[in-house]
Amino acid sequence: MTHTVLITGCSSGYGLETAGHFHAKGWNVIATMRSPRADLLPTGERMRVLPLDVTRADSIAAVLAQAGRIDVLVNNAGIGLFGAFEATPMATVREVFETNTFGPMAMAQAVLPQMCARRAGTIVNVTSSATLAPMPLVAVYTASKTAIEGFTASLAFELEAFNVRVKLVQPGYAPSTRFTSNGSERMQGLIPEAYAPYAHSVFASFAQIGAVTTEADVAQAVWQATTGAGAQLRFPAGEDAVALAQAPR
């Protein structure tokens, strides 16, 4: 039997690469995005592109009704935020949590009934290496991803009795993705004048980073988390993320 994976946030970056990776491995792929674009992905009966907004219950219900059996859920959809917490409106904080935290939780809750009934299935939650080491000016983003780390670790214990696995993939710094451009409007005004010199120094430090994470690194880590045996919970993705995960604390 060919397995089916549903991946959120497939319009670019990690999700797009992961959808192509699973398809190349012979899986049925349900690639979801807010505004579907079938031209981004391979065509054929094993690839379906469906609309999904993980912040809306009706959108989640609609995609689950069309999806049928789901063997693996990859919660990849997320939004970025870079700015001083002092200047970040609480409405923006809630917006980030709606997508990065409550979205994966809602998706997991939606697929669990079928997985628990079959006593089989895997959920992979994609977080960030920001959870591995403190980074400045991303406090809200880090909080939204750290919440999913705790959620995943607890849920993994909870679902052991149902033979449902829950895993984490932690991508490192990936300058080739659209993290900044996707959130540019959301980030307007989040660097007050008093923070500008510090923000410039932080941006400059990013430019000095040698080893970075690629989309392919993340796709491979999701594949390993999905298909690998054993009790490993966390899968750092990218050379920089692996180094952070291995660093003494």
Side-chain angles (χ1 to χ4, degrees):
M1 182 186 70
T2 302
H3 289 90
T4 297
V5 58
L6 187 151
I7 307 167
T8 68
C10 290
S11 62
S12 65
Y14 306 149
L16 182 61
E17 185 75 19
T18 302
H21 188 89
F22 273 79
H23 185 266
K25 294 288 189 180
W27 281 50
N28 294 322
V29 177
I30 302 171
T32 70
M33 55 192 82
R34 289 190 181 190
S35 301
R37 284 188 55 190
D39 62 303
L40 296 173
L41 289 155
T43 58
E45 61 180 17
R46 288 191 296 103
M47 177 68 71
R48 284 192 286 166
V49 179
L50 297 178
L52 174 63
D53 181 342
V54 299
T55 69
R56 290 176 42 202
D58 60 337
S59 183
I60 293 173
V63 82
L64 265 290
Q66 296 176 73
R69 177 189 173 111
I70 297 169
D71 298 291
V72 176
L73 166 67
V74 178
N75 278 316
N76 165 77
I79 57 177
L81 193 73
F82 186 94
F85 176 70
E86 175 187 343
T88 305
M90 286 306 298
T92 302
V93 175
R94 292 187 177 92
E95 180 186 0
V96 171
F97 269 75
E98 283 291 345
T99 298
N100 292 1
T101 308
F102 303 137
M105 294 173 77
M107 287 298 300
Q109 196 170 67
V111 303
L112 278 177
Q114 60 165 283
M115 289 184 175
C116 289
R118 291 195 309 268
R119 293 186 175 268
T122 300
I123 297 172
V124 179
N125 294 325
V126 180
T127 58
S128 168
S129 63
T131 65
L132 297 172
M135 292 178 59
L137 301 176
V138 288
V140 172
Y141 175 78
T142 301
S144 71
K145 293 294 190 178
T146 302
I148 288 297
E149 294 257 335
F151 166 71
T152 303
S154 180
L155 191 64
F157 273 122
E158 183 174 323
L159 298 177
E160 280 182 353
F162 296 92
N163 198 38
V164 175
R165 307 186 316 146
V166 190
K167 304 293 182 179
L168 281 165
V169 168
Q170 302 162 308
Y173 174 57
S176 61
T177 65
R178 292 167 53 190
F179 177 92
T180 302
S181 61
N182 283 346
S184 57
E185 184 177 343
R186 193 180 309 109
M187 298 181 203
Q188 291 296 317
L190 298 191
I191 304 293
E193 186 176 347
Y195 284 83
Y198 181 57
H200 287 313
S201 70
V202 172
F203 284 132
S205 69
F206 286 162
Q208 301 303 314
I209 296 176
V212 296
T213 296
T214 67
E215 291 89 337
D217 291 331
V218 178
Q220 181 60 35
V222 172
W223 176 256
Q224 290 174 343
T226 300
T227 60
Q232 181 177 346
L233 173 66
R234 294 175 173 86
F235 294 77
E239 188 177 341
D240 54 330
V242 171
L244 285 174
Q246 294 175 345
R249 287 175 171 77

